[in-house]
């Protein structure tokens, strides 16, 4: 079974969020299921630099305005096809945003090019290799099934679109239609038209054979108006082909027993070693070296989706509980400055690193006692899965994948011995504050707390089961 996976990021080559983690981890997990995956990625500088010896498999003198080629090779453990199109991708930094902090104006053309070339490959453009199934991720790759449809190729692989976040829809002016090589008749409700514009994600949801999203709860939520964000009608219409498959985490990357980034690696039998990691975290973020204070960690994009404004409003609950806060994140300027101000106001109690830092993410998972994830919506979420594996107790909003992966420490779940964290709903600062106080009380009951930690560490957060589900879906499509 040969699969072409198409995405705009893949760990460890280029990452802005969980999408990269998933796209980068699935090929390894699917290999164990007899599925081989080649990942088609844009030729950003970071990807080009990581590509070893490569072979040119396809070339065009004019891909939306300039020459381009597809290179095949290996890059940091991934079998990749790279769309080398310097006019579109030879730009350093964030893959979507320019130095002025705004989306690149030609993003629709850049990612239409990725999907356009992916559809040619799906249709048999590479001599000697044609995928049985094409798996596209998010709006950046979502036009692929539409191109395949309008190409009308004789032998067409099955297509799956995975929605990692319905909030990012790729909606662009209708006038771009000829520029991105779609026929005029594609511009209809039954085609790529979306509220008078072109909808990339809409097109993918319309034309893919199967639609998945990254948790069963989010799969249900997006068929309702509130989380459906304009696409719920189409998702209801296509409900028969919509399903949710939970994400896993890469157990080699996130392994507390062999994590060289930690002050003291540990496993479930040696939770005491977390004390050293706590000290390291406190030192790193200038938190007081208080052995009693529960440390609440946050590793997040600083956005409304992630409830980071609620976090700011709930700081009193952390402080009044005698806790400390350790934040790693970057995002909206207002939230960044709010956190900086809080840190200045409460030195030693609130520590933040505003920015992106993979090493510190591991240190927080190993050193914080609880991880706060107060998202307003969360398709799956990966940080709470890492937290489970590290014995850092997740405190999460009951939504999307957070609802599916954490078992709340209700009196019943505690007495049954199955709880793994704290959940709250709805996502308001009052409810978050109450959850923080509840977590702090549980923390002061070492027996209950260790039970939560051990249950979390025993939970299966690997890719094994999800990979089996994707493999089954691909097999069903390939016939
Ligand atoms: P999303 O993709 O919506 O941002 P996820 O929880 O699915 O949320 O994935 C976030 C990923 O990015 C995780 O691997 C997390 O550890 C990582 N991450 C988020 N913010 C940072 C940061 N500031 N520095 C390092 N890693 C981060
Ligand atoms: C998106 C979602 C997140 C999910 C990730 C990977 O970024 O916001 O919930 O875990 O994709 O699927």
């Amino acid at each position: 079974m040969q699969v072409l996976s198409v995405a705009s990021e893949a760990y460890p080559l280029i990452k802005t969020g969980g999408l990269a983690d998933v796209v980068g981890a699935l090929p390894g997990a699917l290999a164990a299921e007899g599925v081989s995956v080649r990942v088609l990625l844009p030729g950003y500088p970071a990807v080009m630099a990581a590509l070893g010896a490569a072979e040119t498999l396809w070339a065009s003198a004019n891909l939306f305005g300039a020459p381009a080629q597809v290179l095949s090779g290996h890059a940091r453990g991934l079998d990749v096809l790279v769309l080398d199109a310097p006019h579109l991708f030879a730009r350093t930094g964030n893959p979507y945003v320019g130095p002025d902090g705004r989306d690149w104006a030609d993003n629709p053309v850049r990612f239409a090019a990725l999907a356009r070339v992916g559809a040619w490959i799906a249709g048999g453009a590479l001599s000697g290799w044609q995928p049985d199934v094409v798996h596209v991720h998010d709006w950046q790759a979502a036009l692929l099934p539409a191109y395949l449809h309008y190409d009308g190729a004789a032998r067409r692989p099955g297509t799956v679109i995975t929605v990692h976040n319905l909030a990012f829809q790729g909606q662009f002016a209708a006038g771009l239609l000829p520029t991105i090589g779609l026929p005029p008749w594609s511009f209809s409700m039954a085609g790529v038209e979306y509220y008078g514009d072109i909808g990339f994600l809409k097109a993918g949801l319309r034309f893919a054979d199967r639609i998945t999203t990254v948790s069963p709860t989010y799969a249900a939520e997006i068929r309702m108006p509130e989380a459906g964000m304009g696409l719920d009608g189409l998702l209801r219409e296509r409900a028969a082909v919509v399903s949710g498959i939970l994400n896993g985490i890469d157990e080699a990357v996130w392994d507390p027993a062999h994590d060289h980034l930690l002050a003291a690696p540990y496993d479930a039998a040696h939770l005491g070693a977390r004390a050293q990691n706590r000290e390291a975290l406190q030192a790193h973020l200038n938190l007081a070296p208080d052995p009693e204070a529960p440390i609440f960690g946050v590793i997040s994009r600083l956005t409304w989706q992630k409830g980071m404004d609620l976090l700011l409003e709930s700081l009193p609950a952390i402080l009044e509980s005698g806790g400390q806060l350790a934040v790693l994140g970057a995002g909206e300027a207002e939230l960044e400055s709010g956190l900086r101000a809080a840190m200045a106001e409460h030195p030693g109690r609130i520590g933040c690193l505003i920015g992106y830092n993979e090493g510190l993410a591991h240190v927080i998972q190993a050193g914080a006692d609880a991880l706060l994830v107060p998202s307003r919506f969360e398709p799956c979420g990966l940080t709470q899965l890492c937290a489970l594996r590290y014995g850092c107790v997740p405190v999460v909003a009951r939504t999307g994948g957070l609802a599916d992966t954490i078992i709340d420490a209700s009196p019943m779940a505690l007495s049954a011995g199955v709880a793994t964290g704290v959940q709250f709903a709805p996502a308001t600062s009052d409810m978050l504050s109450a959850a923080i106080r509840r977590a702090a009380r549980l923390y002061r009951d070492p027996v209950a707390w260790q039970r939560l930690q051990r249950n979390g560490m025993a939970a299966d957060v690997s890719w094994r089961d999800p990979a089996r589900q994707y493999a089954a879906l691909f097999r069903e499509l390939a016939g």
Side-chain angles (χ1 to χ4, degrees), residues 261-266 273-282 363 366-368:
L261 295 160
L262 306 191
Y266 59 95
R274 293 188 103 261
Q276 261 173 279
N277 294 303
R278 275 177 52 101
E279 283 168 21
L281 173 60
Q282 285 171 325
V363 173

Side-chain angles (χ1 to χ4, degrees), residues 110-124:
R110 298 170 76 220
F111 296 107
L114 180 72
R116 176 58 281 181
V117 172
W120 278 323
I121 295 172

Side-chain angles (χ1 to χ4, degrees), residues 17-20 22 138 163-165 168 214 247 301 305-306 377-382:
L19 168 66
V22 173
D138 275 354
V163 178
H164 295 266
N165 194 334
F168 301 110
V214 286
N247 289 331
R301 289 187 285 116
Q305 174 196 341
K306 300 291 181 179
F377 68 95
E378 195 61 77
C380 180
L382 297 175

Side-chain angles (χ1 to χ4, degrees), residues 12-34:
L13 301 173
I14 176 103
K15 164 168 164 175
T16 70
L19 168 66
D21 291 313
V22 173
V23 174
L26 259 180
L30 281 166
E33 300 298 318

